[in-house]
Amino acid sequence: MQNLTKTIKIRLYVNSEQITLFKQMSEQYRLACNFVSQYIFDHNFELNSNKLNKELYRDVRECFNLKAQLTQSVFRTATARYKTTKEQLVQKPFRYKDENGEYQRITRTLEWLMKPILFSRPQCDLVRDRDYSFVENGEMLSINTLDKRVKVCFETKHWQEYLDGSWNLGTAKLLELKGKWYLHIPVTKAVKEFCKDEVKHVVGIDRG
């Protein structure tokens, strides 16, 4: 067996009050991520979430009015972005020609960054059963905000099969896209491993 992971993108149907609460929370979360990102950049790219939590937890909560779980998520979001950038830098080394005209490579690290990573898009990560949960027999979403929990209707047409209990739901990302609000939730399920010997039909695609 192997794990199959997908991301379902659920559209939320929100009223004006909920929009205000979501905008406030996602903006404060973005600012907090930039605050932590600046600290990481200034302190030799410290990517240990526990150490960041010890140094910055109180400051992040007080400065950005975030609740405890959101504060913890800020550290994970910021460090995850730096770890992704680190992998990308390793995969794309700096290439140059030496005095003999031969190409040489230098592995790039986070120290090559000229400025801290910037979080420009308001969004926030929500932990299941703490920051978000399905209520009223799965017909509503209960989402925590900086002020209070709110119940939100959502589009169920394309996602019911992933909400039947057979899939494990992970940390969701709340974001706005073209005036509409979405909750992106990674879902994971154990499936049978692919075996090419069991393939009976092959589909070809003519890319023209």
Side-chain angles (χ1 to χ4, degrees):
M1 302 292 284
Q2 62 182 2
N3 287 331
L4 173 65
T5 300
K6 300 182 178 181
T7 298
I8 60 176
K9 302 176 181 180
I10 299 178
R11 181 183 173 184
L12 308 178
Y13 296 109
V14 293
N15 56 39
S16 58
E17 179 190 18
Q18 293 167 345
I19 290 175
T20 299
L21 291 173
F22 287 170
K23 283 186 174 181
Q24 178 190 35
M25 179 172 64
S26 57
E27 174 62 14
Q28 290 301 105
Y29 192 93
R30 181 187 73 85
L31 294 174
C33 286
N34 282 330
F35 176 80
V36 175
S37 177
Q38 183 69 59
Y39 181 92
I40 293 173
F41 184 81
D42 294 337
H43 292 80
N44 299 317
F45 300 100
E46 176 58 68
L47 299 181
N48 187 309
S49 296
N50 292 329
K51 291 183 179 179
L52 292 173
N53 177 67
K54 182 177 180 181
E55 293 293 331
L56 301 176
Y57 179 81
R58 186 183 300 274
D59 292 337
V60 171
R61 288 209 64 181
E62 292 179 354
C63 293
F64 304 100
N65 194 33
L66 297 181
K67 295 181 179 180
Q69 187 59 61
L70 282 175
T71 301
Q72 299 291 347
S73 295
V74 164
F75 300 132
R76 288 192 287 270
T77 299
T79 54
R81 183 72 66 84
Y82 272 94
K83 290 176 181 178
T84 298
T85 301
K86 182 179 180 180
E87 293 178 1
Q88 293 172 341
L89 289 172
V90 170
Q91 293 171 2
K92 296 181 179 180
F94 177 74
R95 300 175 72 241
Y96 69 96
K97 283 186 178 181
D98 60 19
E99 57 186 10
N100 297 320
E102 297 180 355
Y103 276 104
Q104 303 294 333
R105 292 186 177 186
I106 299 178
T107 300
R108 296 193 295 175
T109 64
L110 290 175
E111 283 72 17
W112 282 65
L113 296 179
M114 301 298 293
K115 56 184 178 180
I117 292 175
L118 177 67
F119 293 81
S120 58
R121 184 179 188 179
Q123 57 187 296
C124 59
D125 290 347
L126 305 178
V127 176
R128 188 192 178 191
D129 292 333
R130 293 194 178 185
D131 297 318
Y132 83 95
S133 58
F134 290 89
V135 295
E136 299 186 11
N137 296 321
E139 296 182 358
M140 299 278 289
L141 268 165
S142 174
I143 299 178
N144 206 6
T145 69
L146 301 184
D147 185 33
K148 60 182 180 180
R149 292 191 77 94
V150 296
K151 290 184 179 180
V152 184
C153 296
F154 63 95
E155 181 184 40
T156 61
K157 182 178 179 181
H158 305 291
W159 313 118
Q160 284 289 21
E161 64 177 293
Y162 302 106
L163 306 177
D164 61 3
S166 64
W167 294 78
N168 294 320
L169 279 60
T171 297
K173 188 175 293 292
L174 177 71
L175 52 86
E176 181 184 11
L177 179 62
K178 296 182 179 181
K180 299 176 183 179
W181 286 87
Y182 296 87
L183 196 64
H184 292 186
I185 307 176
V187 295
T188 304
K189 183 178 184 179
V191 297
K192 184 179 179 181
E193 292 189 20
F194 172 76
C195 179
K196 64 179 182 180
D197 295 331
E198 297 179 1
V199 174
K200 296 182 180 179
H201 303 284
V202 177
V203 178
I205 300 176
D206 182 1
R207 300 179 64 183

